[in-house]
Amino acid sequence: MSPRPASPYAYAASVMGADLIGRSTAAGDPLGPGGWWLLNEPELHFGDDVVVPDQAGWRRSHMPSVPNVAAFTQAPDWVCEVVSPSTGRIDRSRKMRIYAREGVGHLWIVEPVLRTIEVYRLERSQWVVAAVHGGDDPVHLEPFDAIELDVRRWWLESAQP
């Protein structure tokens, strides 16, 4: 059992999820590409490995409907880890290796206190840095780069170092 995240991390994960779900899930959504199932903290079972990303998404073309299960065995197309001091080592080592092994196409590492977002793309079973963003400027982040995200909404002012 992991400790629950402090407010800057919980807030960033919540607002980011709301922004993405509101803009990327509805098929035919005029504001976004549609075609995604996005879930908060889904439990993923990959053999003996059990991981729970902060956010995960499956393209509807890969998973036409969300199954009624307690845990998913199909790898998502995108995962996001909102990194805190207590989770950073696991998120950046063990979980990144598992996600690469399972063929997750994109991974975001979000650090709310530093206001940074690292975007990774899987190429030939290796993570490649696709982009690094810092601060408050609007961004287009793979694999949701068809939509503009106002990331300043994700950061708590009180969280500044």
Side-chain angles (χ1 to χ4, degrees), residues 60-138:
R60 289 182 186 204
S61 59
H62 296 157
M63 187 170 77
S65 62
V66 177
N68 182 4
V69 295
F72 294 84
T73 56
Q74 180 179 344
D77 296 291
W78 165 82
V79 294
C80 177
E81 296 292 350
V82 179
V83 176
S84 69
S86 65
T87 66
R89 181 179 56 80
I90 294 167
D91 292 339
R92 292 180 175 281
S93 59
R94 179 178 176 270
K95 286 176 131 181
M96 283 184 81
R97 284 192 304 271
I98 292 168
Y99 295 146
R101 181 191 76 209
E102 297 300 321
V104 174
H106 287 86
L107 164 69
W108 293 0
I109 300 286
V110 176
E111 294 198 14
V113 173
L114 299 176
R115 296 184 178 197
T116 61
I117 305 161
E118 300 166 26
V119 177
Y120 295 90
R121 179 186 324 117
L122 192 65
E123 293 183 5
R124 294 182 296 282
S125 301
Q126 297 292 315
W127 290 118
V128 174
V129 177
V132 177
H133 299 278
D136 297 333
D137 294 333

Side-chain angles (χ1 to χ4, degrees), residues 14 46 67 89 130:
S14 297
F46 303 130
R89 181 179 56 80

